[in-house]
Amino acid sequence: AKTPWNWITYQFTHANIFHLISNLVFLFLIVALLEKAVSTGWIICIYLFSGLGAGISYLLMSSGISLPVVGASGSISGLIAFLCITHGGRNIQWSYFFGPTQGMYGTIYMPAFLVIPFYLLSDLTGLINSSYGVSQAVAHSAHIGGALTGLFLGSVYLAEKYFLIEDYDFKSKL
């Protein structure tokens, strides 16, 4: 049954345990960085609205396919995009893990704005190579829709922070 709740609940439903764990790892890493800069309310709104944007993008780009979309990947893409917009050129510590042996895990520092191209590179190529925006059961179109929503919300956040505050001193920023 298609109900308005489907637009929310699909973001919390996953195909298997690996899908759930991988989304939780990304969610933990991104929220750990965001919670230092924005309120919990913003994080929840970004997550939910990015999920809605991901769902709409999936429906628009995948109209000829009947696969259901599940998972938090679109919402997490939105959180990553929001982080990239709001943290811009600041160097952020990122953890990586390729294996349990020395040299295969650690941390690197890189500017926040570089994360979104690395994260979405496979989605962009998957979208280009697939006529429906879905390949190998990955909804690339949903990831991109979530990221676009996150970019929009990041722009709204920055506009509110820098231009819509009455007590803001514009002369000191020029």
Side-chain angles (χ1 to χ4, degrees):
K2 294 180 180 173
T3 67
W5 287 108
N6 290 88
W7 288 93
I8 302 296
T9 58
Y10 93 89
Q11 300 174 46
F12 300 97
T13 309
H14 290 79
N16 54 44
I17 192 72
F18 176 73
H19 188 209
L20 174 65
I21 290 172
S22 64
N23 278 331
L24 285 173
V25 166
F26 272 105
L27 183 65
F28 173 76
L29 293 173
I30 298 306
V31 170
L33 293 169
L34 279 177
E35 70 183 354
K36 297 174 186 172
V38 299
S39 69
T40 303
W42 265 100
I43 294 171
I44 292 170
C45 286
I46 297 159
Y47 181 91
L48 293 174
F49 282 113
S50 294
L52 290 173
I56 291 168
S57 176
Y58 176 77
L59 287 176
L60 292 175
M61 292 185 196
S62 308
S63 61
I65 196 166
S66 62
L67 289 174
V69 64
V70 295
S73 302
S75 300
I76 293 169
S77 294
L79 288 169
I80 291 171
F82 183 87
L83 176 78
C84 291
I85 288 291
T86 58
H87 286 64
R90 283 187 259 166
N91 281 336
I92 295 177
Q93 182 179 359
W94 297 94
S95 300
Y96 65 91
F97 180 82
F98 295 114
T101 60
Q102 188 173 5
M104 299 295 287
Y105 62 90
T107 58
I108 60 171
Y109 289 88
M110 85 182 183
F113 71 86
L114 290 178
V115 174
I116 200 71
F118 284 123
Y119 181 74
L120 288 180
L121 185 63
S122 66
D123 290 319
L124 290 171
T125 57
L127 187 63
I128 291 167
N129 290 328
S130 171
S131 59
Y132 295 117
V134 177
S135 65
Q136 299 174 355
V138 174
H140 302 290
S141 55
H143 293 180
I144 292 170
L148 291 174
T149 305
L151 290 172
F152 172 75
L153 292 173
S155 300
V156 168
Y157 175 82
L158 290 178
E160 178 185 81
K161 183 177 178 182
Y162 292 113
F163 300 115
L164 301 178
I165 298 173
E166 293 176 17
D167 296 332
Y168 186 74
D169 182 15
F170 288 103
K171 291 180 183 176
S172 68
K173 291 295 180 185
L174 296 177

Tab-separated table of all heavy atoms in Angstrom, residues 42-96:
chain	number	residue	atom	x	y	z
A	42	TRP	N	18.325	20.655	13.148
A	42	TRP	CA	18.789	20.787	11.772
A	42	TRP	C	19.177	19.427	11.197
A	42	TRP	O	18.848	19.102	10.057
A	42	TRP	CB	19.982	21.742	11.684
A	42	TRP	CG	19.593	23.147	11.344
A	42	TRP	CD1	19.461	24.195	12.213
A	42	TRP	CD2	19.260	23.653	10.054
A	42	TRP	NE1	19.078	25.305	11.528
A	42	TRP	CE2	18.953	25.014	10.193
A	42	TRP	CE3	19.202	23.088	8.791
A	42	TRP	CZ2	18.580	25.824	9.126
A	42	TRP	CZ3	18.831	23.893	7.723
A	42	TRP	CH2	18.522	25.238	7.890
A	43	ILE	N	19.882	18.636	11.974
A	43	ILE	CA	20.331	17.322	11.493
A	43	ILE	C	19.138	16.437	11.152
A	43	ILE	O	19.114	15.782	10.104
A	43	ILE	CB	21.262	16.651	12.519
A	43	ILE	CG1	22.567	17.455	12.632
A	43	ILE	CG2	21.557	15.205	12.133
A	43	ILE	CD1	23.485	17.019	13.756
A	44	ILE	N	18.135	16.427	12.006
A	44	ILE	CA	16.941	15.613	11.746
A	44	ILE	C	16.212	16.105	10.496
A	44	ILE	O	15.799	15.305	9.647
A	44	ILE	CB	16.017	15.610	12.982
A	44	ILE	CG1	16.690	14.845	14.119
A	44	ILE	CG2	14.657	15.010	12.647
A	44	ILE	CD1	15.995	14.986	15.453
A	45	CYS	N	16.067	17.427	10.375
A	45	CYS	CA	15.403	17.985	9.195
A	45	CYS	C	16.165	17.656	7.915
A	45	CYS	O	15.560	17.298	6.896
A	45	CYS	CB	15.234	19.493	9.334
A	45	CYS	SG	13.953	19.962	10.501
A	46	ILE	N	17.471	17.793	7.955
A	46	ILE	CA	18.283	17.486	6.777
A	46	ILE	C	18.100	16.020	6.389
A	46	ILE	O	17.913	15.688	5.222
A	46	ILE	CB	19.772	17.789	7.031
A	46	ILE	CG1	19.969	19.266	7.291
A	46	ILE	CG2	20.631	17.335	5.859
A	46	ILE	CD1	21.248	19.578	8.023
A	47	TYR	N	18.160	15.139	7.386
A	47	TYR	CA	18.008	13.710	7.132
A	47	TYR	C	16.659	13.418	6.473
A	47	TYR	O	16.594	12.771	5.424
A	47	TYR	CB	18.149	12.936	8.448
A	47	TYR	CG	18.031	11.441	8.279
A	47	TYR	CD1	19.151	10.665	8.057
A	47	TYR	CD2	16.789	10.806	8.320
A	47	TYR	CE1	19.050	9.303	7.881
A	47	TYR	CE2	16.677	9.440	8.139
A	47	TYR	CZ	17.807	8.692	7.924
A	47	TYR	OH	17.697	7.340	7.741
A	48	LEU	N	15.585	13.901	7.077
A	48	LEU	CA	14.237	13.592	6.577
A	48	LEU	C	13.962	14.237	5.221
A	48	LEU	O	13.444	13.585	4.304
A	48	LEU	CB	13.181	13.997	7.597
A	48	LEU	CG	13.184	13.196	8.899
A	48	LEU	CD1	12.191	13.777	9.890
A	48	LEU	CD2	12.895	11.722	8.635
A	49	PHE	N	14.305	15.521	5.065
A	49	PHE	CA	14.052	16.195	3.791
A	49	PHE	C	14.936	15.652	2.675
A	49	PHE	O	14.507	15.563	1.523
A	49	PHE	CB	14.204	17.707	3.925
A	49	PHE	CG	13.020	18.365	4.560
A	49	PHE	CD1	13.128	18.961	5.799
A	49	PHE	CD2	11.785	18.372	3.931
A	49	PHE	CE1	12.033	19.555	6.403
A	49	PHE	CE2	10.675	18.960	4.520
A	49	PHE	CZ	10.797	19.560	5.762
A	50	SER	N	16.171	15.280	2.997
A	50	SER	CA	17.028	14.662	1.984
A	50	SER	C	16.467	13.317	1.562
A	50	SER	O	16.558	12.942	0.389
A	50	SER	CB	18.457	14.505	2.506
A	50	SER	OG	19.049	15.758	2.708
A	51	GLY	N	15.896	12.597	2.501
A	51	GLY	CA	15.236	11.343	2.161
A	51	GLY	C	14.047	11.558	1.243
A	51	GLY	O	13.828	10.793	0.297
A	52	LEU	N	13.277	12.618	1.495
A	52	LEU	CA	12.161	12.953	0.603
A	52	LEU	C	12.672	13.331	-0.779
A	52	LEU	O	12.125	12.888	-1.802
A	52	LEU	CB	11.338	14.096	1.195
A	52	LEU	CG	10.516	13.772	2.429
A	52	LEU	CD1	9.890	15.039	2.999
A	52	LEU	CD2	9.454	12.748	2.121
A	53	GLY	N	13.725	14.144	-0.826
A	53	GLY	CA	14.319	14.517	-2.108
A	53	GLY	C	14.865	13.309	-2.858
A	53	GLY	O	14.744	13.211	-4.079
A	54	ALA	N	15.445	12.381	-2.119
A	54	ALA	CA	15.965	11.156	-2.727
A	54	ALA	C	14.832	10.322	-3.324
A	54	ALA	O	14.944	9.804	-4.436
A	54	ALA	CB	16.725	10.340	-1.685
A	55	GLY	N	13.737	10.217	-2.582
A	55	GLY	CA	12.588	9.460	-3.081
A	55	GLY	C	11.982	10.074	-4.334
A	55	GLY	O	11.649	9.372	-5.297
A	56	ILE	N	11.856	11.397	-4.329
A	56	ILE	CA	11.309	12.094	-5.504
A	56	ILE	C	12.234	11.923	-6.702
A	56	ILE	O	11.784	11.641	-7.818
A	56	ILE	CB	11.079	13.578	-5.181
A	56	ILE	CG1	9.922	13.713	-4.180
A	56	ILE	CG2	10.798	14.382	-6.445
A	56	ILE	CD1	9.781	15.091	-3.574
A	57	SER	N	13.532	12.061	-6.484
A	57	SER	CA	14.502	11.884	-7.556
A	57	SER	C	14.434	10.469	-8.127
A	57	SER	O	14.473	10.276	-9.343
A	57	SER	CB	15.906	12.180	-7.027
A	57	SER	OG	16.872	11.930	-8.000
A	58	TYR	N	14.316	9.489	-7.245
A	58	TYR	CA	14.210	8.103	-7.693
A	58	TYR	C	12.961	7.912	-8.550
A	58	TYR	O	13.020	7.289	-9.613
A	58	TYR	CB	14.182	7.166	-6.486
A	58	TYR	CG	13.978	5.723	-6.851
A	58	TYR	CD1	15.015	4.961	-7.365
A	58	TYR	CD2	12.738	5.111	-6.691
A	58	TYR	CE1	14.839	3.639	-7.709
A	58	TYR	CE2	12.542	3.783	-7.025
A	58	TYR	CZ	13.593	3.051	-7.540
A	58	TYR	OH	13.414	1.748	-7.882
A	59	LEU	N	11.839	8.465	-8.111
A	59	LEU	CA	10.596	8.320	-8.877
A	59	LEU	C	10.700	9.001	-10.237
A	59	LEU	O	10.228	8.465	-11.241
A	59	LEU	CB	9.420	8.901	-8.098
A	59	LEU	CG	8.942	8.091	-6.903
A	59	LEU	CD1	7.829	8.835	-6.170
A	59	LEU	CD2	8.454	6.713	-7.331
A	60	LEU	N	11.304	10.184	-10.284
A	60	LEU	CA	11.405	10.921	-11.538
A	60	LEU	C	12.369	10.268	-12.525
A	60	LEU	O	12.103	10.228	-13.722
A	60	LEU	CB	11.842	12.361	-11.264
A	60	LEU	CG	10.834	13.239	-10.543
A	60	LEU	CD1	11.442	14.603	-10.230
A	60	LEU	CD2	9.556	13.390	-11.352
A	61	MET	N	13.493	9.763	-12.027
A	61	MET	CA	14.517	9.202	-12.920
A	61	MET	C	14.340	7.717	-13.176
A	61	MET	O	14.992	7.174	-14.056
A	61	MET	CB	15.907	9.454	-12.337
A	61	MET	CG	16.305	10.891	-12.326
A	61	MET	SD	18.014	11.025	-11.766
A	61	MET	CE	18.101	12.743	-11.366
A	62	SER	N	13.489	7.062	-12.415
A	62	SER	CA	13.347	5.610	-12.534
A	62	SER	C	11.905	5.215	-12.805
A	62	SER	O	11.421	4.229	-12.283
A	62	SER	CB	13.832	4.949	-11.243
A	62	SER	OG	15.115	5.383	-10.907
A	63	SER	N	11.225	5.990	-13.639
A	63	SER	CA	9.800	5.750	-13.861
A	63	SER	C	9.514	4.432	-14.578
A	63	SER	O	8.446	3.881	-14.441
A	63	SER	CB	9.189	6.911	-14.644
A	63	SER	OG	9.824	7.034	-15.906
A	64	GLY	N	10.458	3.900	-15.306
A	64	GLY	CA	10.233	2.671	-16.041
A	64	GLY	C	10.620	1.412	-15.294
A	64	GLY	O	10.695	0.341	-15.873
A	65	ILE	N	10.868	1.524	-14.001
A	65	ILE	CA	11.320	0.375	-13.219
A	65	ILE	C	10.412	0.219	-12.005
A	65	ILE	O	9.889	1.189	-11.485
A	65	ILE	CB	12.808	0.549	-12.808
A	65	ILE	CG1	13.407	-0.763	-12.362
A	65	ILE	CG2	12.967	1.619	-11.767
A	65	ILE	CD1	14.924	-0.712	-12.272
A	66	SER	N	10.200	-1.023	-11.595
A	66	SER	CA	9.260	-1.257	-10.496
A	66	SER	C	9.944	-1.719	-9.215
A	66	SER	O	9.289	-2.286	-8.347
A	66	SER	CB	8.208	-2.284	-10.925
A	66	SER	OG	8.834	-3.512	-11.215
A	67	LEU	N	11.239	-1.497	-9.081
A	67	LEU	CA	11.939	-1.864	-7.851
A	67	LEU	C	11.615	-0.874	-6.744
A	67	LEU	O	11.668	0.337	-6.960
A	67	LEU	CB	13.453	-1.864	-8.067
A	67	LEU	CG	14.038	-2.964	-8.924
A	67	LEU	CD1	15.530	-2.711	-9.146
A	67	LEU	CD2	13.832	-4.312	-8.282
A	68	PRO	N	11.301	-1.369	-5.555
A	68	PRO	CA	11.079	-0.432	-4.443
A	68	PRO	C	12.418	0.123	-3.956
A	68	PRO	O	13.448	-0.526	-4.075
A	68	PRO	CB	10.429	-1.298	-3.366
A	68	PRO	CG	10.914	-2.681	-3.668
A	68	PRO	CD	11.097	-2.755	-5.154
A	69	VAL	N	12.390	1.315	-3.425
A	69	VAL	CA	13.607	1.917	-2.888
A	69	VAL	C	13.550	1.821	-1.367
A	69	VAL	O	12.521	2.076	-0.759
A	69	VAL	CB	13.794	3.374	-3.373
A	69	VAL	CG1	12.714	4.279	-2.873
A	69	VAL	CG2	15.155	3.901	-2.996
A	70	VAL	N	14.655	1.381	-0.768
A	70	VAL	CA	14.759	1.285	0.692
A	70	VAL	C	16.134	1.774	1.106
A	70	VAL	O	17.080	1.752	0.321
A	70	VAL	CB	14.546	-0.157	1.219
A	70	VAL	CG1	13.135	-0.638	0.962
A	70	VAL	CG2	15.564	-1.113	0.637
A	71	GLY	N	16.246	2.223	2.351
A	71	GLY	CA	17.540	2.582	2.900
A	71	GLY	C	17.705	4.064	3.152
A	71	GLY	O	16.925	4.893	2.697
A	72	ALA	N	18.753	4.357	3.879
A	72	ALA	CA	19.042	5.714	4.306
A	72	ALA	C	20.101	6.385	3.443
A	72	ALA	O	20.521	7.499	3.756
A	72	ALA	CB	19.508	5.688	5.761
A	73	SER	N	20.520	5.763	2.382
A	73	SER	CA	21.626	6.289	1.585
A	73	SER	C	21.339	7.672	1.016
A	73	SER	O	22.218	8.530	0.980
A	73	SER	CB	21.973	5.330	0.451
A	73	SER	OG	22.302	4.069	0.966
A	74	GLY	N	20.132	7.909	0.550
A	74	GLY	CA	19.771	9.224	0.030
A	74	GLY	C	19.818	10.281	1.119
A	74	GLY	O	20.298	11.402	0.908
A	75	SER	N	19.336	9.931	2.301
A	75	SER	CA	19.372	10.857	3.441
A	75	SER	C	20.808	11.148	3.853
A	75	SER	O	21.155	12.297	4.161
A	75	SER	CB	18.612	10.258	4.624
A	75	SER	OG	17.277	10.018	4.269
A	76	ILE	N	21.634	10.126	3.855
A	76	ILE	CA	23.043	10.300	4.229
A	76	ILE	C	23.772	11.127	3.169
A	76	ILE	O	24.620	11.965	3.504
A	76	ILE	CB	23.707	8.932	4.475
A	76	ILE	CG1	23.080	8.309	5.727
A	76	ILE	CG2	25.209	9.060	4.612
A	76	ILE	CD1	23.426	6.871	5.964
A	77	SER	N	23.420	10.945	1.908
A	77	SER	CA	23.991	11.787	0.856
A	77	SER	C	23.660	13.247	1.106
A	77	SER	O	24.500	14.135	0.898
A	77	SER	CB	23.458	11.368	-0.515
A	77	SER	OG	23.895	10.084	-0.860
A	78	GLY	N	22.456	13.506	1.564
A	78	GLY	CA	22.065	14.870	1.896
A	78	GLY	C	22.863	15.431	3.053
A	78	GLY	O	23.270	16.598	3.038
A	79	LEU	N	23.105	14.612	4.073
A	79	LEU	CA	23.917	15.053	5.213
A	79	LEU	C	25.351	15.355	4.786
A	79	LEU	O	25.952	16.337	5.231
A	79	LEU	CB	23.907	13.995	6.318
A	79	LEU	CG	22.604	13.843	7.096
A	79	LEU	CD1	22.642	12.583	7.955
A	79	LEU	CD2	22.336	15.065	7.954
A	80	ILE	N	25.895	14.526	3.916
A	80	ILE	CA	27.263	14.741	3.424
A	80	ILE	C	27.323	16.036	2.612
A	80	ILE	O	28.242	16.839	2.772
A	80	ILE	CB	27.746	13.534	2.598
A	80	ILE	CG1	27.947	12.322	3.512
A	80	ILE	CG2	29.031	13.860	1.846
A	80	ILE	CD1	28.221	11.029	2.779
A	81	ALA	N	26.350	16.250	1.746
A	81	ALA	CA	26.327	17.470	0.945
A	81	ALA	C	26.168	18.705	1.836
A	81	ALA	O	26.824	19.729	1.617
A	81	ALA	CB	25.198	17.401	-0.079
A	82	PHE	N	25.319	18.610	2.845
A	82	PHE	CA	25.144	19.705	3.792
A	82	PHE	C	26.467	20.011	4.492
A	82	PHE	O	26.847	21.173	4.626
A	82	PHE	CB	24.067	19.337	4.815
A	82	PHE	CG	23.766	20.426	5.800
A	82	PHE	CD1	22.833	21.398	5.512
A	82	PHE	CD2	24.415	20.476	7.022
A	82	PHE	CE1	22.556	22.415	6.422
A	82	PHE	CE2	24.152	21.477	7.937
A	82	PHE	CZ	23.216	22.455	7.633
A	83	LEU	N	27.170	18.981	4.908
A	83	LEU	CA	28.476	19.154	5.551
A	83	LEU	C	29.452	19.857	4.605
A	83	LEU	O	30.182	20.757	5.012
A	83	LEU	CB	29.039	17.804	5.997
A	83	LEU	CG	30.432	17.844	6.606
A	83	LEU	CD1	30.363	18.331	8.043
A	83	LEU	CD2	31.074	16.476	6.542
A	84	CYS	N	29.463	19.446	3.353
A	84	CYS	CA	30.378	20.042	2.382
A	84	CYS	C	30.092	21.518	2.166
A	84	CYS	O	31.021	22.315	2.033
A	84	CYS	CB	30.292	19.297	1.058
A	84	CYS	SG	30.962	17.639	1.139
A	85	ILE	N	28.826	21.895	2.144
A	85	ILE	CA	28.464	23.304	1.940
A	85	ILE	C	28.776	24.120	3.185
A	85	ILE	O	29.352	25.206	3.103
A	85	ILE	CB	26.960	23.422	1.597
A	85	ILE	CG1	26.685	22.901	0.198
A	85	ILE	CG2	26.467	24.854	1.739
A	85	ILE	CD1	27.257	23.748	-0.910
A	86	THR	N	28.411	23.617	4.336
A	86	THR	CA	28.560	24.415	5.564
A	86	THR	C	29.988	24.456	6.088
A	86	THR	O	30.349	25.396	6.785
A	86	THR	CB	27.632	23.898	6.684
A	86	THR	OG1	27.928	22.530	6.954
A	86	THR	CG2	26.175	24.063	6.285
A	87	HIS	N	30.802	23.472	5.759
A	87	HIS	CA	32.181	23.453	6.241
A	87	HIS	C	33.183	23.853	5.164
A	87	HIS	O	34.356	24.026	5.465
A	87	HIS	CB	32.527	22.073	6.809
A	87	HIS	CG	31.901	21.809	8.136
A	87	HIS	ND1	30.542	21.733	8.319
A	87	HIS	CD2	32.441	21.606	9.344
A	87	HIS	CE1	30.278	21.495	9.582
A	87	HIS	NE2	31.414	21.417	10.236
A	88	GLY	N	32.741	23.956	3.921
A	88	GLY	CA	33.536	24.493	2.821
A	88	GLY	C	34.958	23.992	2.737
A	88	GLY	O	35.221	22.815	2.603
A	89	GLY	N	35.911	24.915	2.823
A	89	GLY	CA	37.323	24.591	2.663
A	89	GLY	C	38.033	24.184	3.933
A	89	GLY	O	39.235	23.972	3.919
A	90	ARG	N	37.300	24.072	5.048
A	90	ARG	CA	37.962	23.649	6.295
A	90	ARG	C	38.437	22.209	6.179
A	90	ARG	O	37.721	21.345	5.684
A	90	ARG	CB	36.988	23.752	7.472
A	90	ARG	CG	36.807	25.169	7.941
A	90	ARG	CD	35.994	25.188	9.198
A	90	ARG	NE	34.637	25.554	8.781
A	90	ARG	CZ	33.576	25.434	9.520
A	90	ARG	NH1	33.642	24.930	10.720
A	90	ARG	NH2	32.398	25.802	9.076
A	91	ASN	N	39.647	21.968	6.648
A	91	ASN	CA	40.157	20.601	6.680
A	91	ASN	C	39.461	19.830	7.799
A	91	ASN	O	39.383	20.295	8.923
A	91	ASN	CB	41.664	20.569	6.896
A	91	ASN	CG	42.416	20.868	5.637
A	91	ASN	OD1	41.912	20.672	4.548
A	91	ASN	ND2	43.628	21.354	5.767
A	92	ILE	N	38.988	18.652	7.452
A	92	ILE	CA	38.277	17.808	8.398
A	92	ILE	C	39.000	16.470	8.469
A	92	ILE	O	39.465	15.941	7.455
A	92	ILE	CB	36.810	17.599	7.967
A	92	ILE	CG1	36.074	18.941	8.003
A	92	ILE	CG2	36.113	16.589	8.843
A	92	ILE	CD1	34.656	18.867	7.537
A	93	GLN	N	39.077	15.937	9.661
A	93	GLN	CA	39.707	14.632	9.850
A	93	GLN	C	38.721	13.546	9.437
A	93	GLN	O	37.605	13.476	9.933
A	93	GLN	CB	40.100	14.441	11.300
A	93	GLN	CG	40.801	13.128	11.562
A	93	GLN	CD	41.204	12.980	13.025
A	93	GLN	OE1	40.981	13.857	13.843
A	93	GLN	NE2	41.791	11.861	13.350
A	94	TRP	N	39.139	12.684	8.499
A	94	TRP	CA	38.312	11.582	8.014
A	94	TRP	C	39.018	10.269	8.335
A	94	TRP	O	40.224	10.154	8.187
A	94	TRP	CB	38.112	11.690	6.500
A	94	TRP	CG	37.384	12.917	6.108
A	94	TRP	CD1	37.929	14.110	5.721
A	94	TRP	CD2	35.980	13.110	6.091
A	94	TRP	NE1	36.953	15.016	5.460
A	94	TRP	CE2	35.739	14.438	5.676
A	94	TRP	CE3	34.884	12.289	6.378
A	94	TRP	CZ2	34.464	14.956	5.536
A	94	TRP	CZ3	33.618	12.814	6.234
A	94	TRP	CH2	33.413	14.129	5.827
A	95	SER	N	38.244	9.307	8.735
A	95	SER	CA	38.778	7.962	8.998
A	95	SER	C	38.609	7.112	7.750
A	95	SER	O	37.635	7.252	7.015
A	95	SER	CB	38.031	7.315	10.161
A	95	SER	OG	38.175	8.079	11.325
A	96	TYR	N	39.556	6.227	7.523
A	96	TYR	CA	39.421	5.270	6.430
A	96	TYR	C	39.792	3.884	6.942
A	96	TYR	O	40.534	3.734	7.906
A	96	TYR	CB	40.282	5.664	5.222
A	96	TYR	CG	41.762	5.634	5.473
A	96	TYR	CD1	42.505	4.488	5.220
A	96	TYR	CD2	42.440	6.757	5.950
A	96	TYR	CE1	43.873	4.453	5.448
A	96	TYR	CE2	43.801	6.735	6.178
A	96	TYR	CZ	44.509	5.579	5.930
A	96	TYR	OH	45.853	5.546	6.156
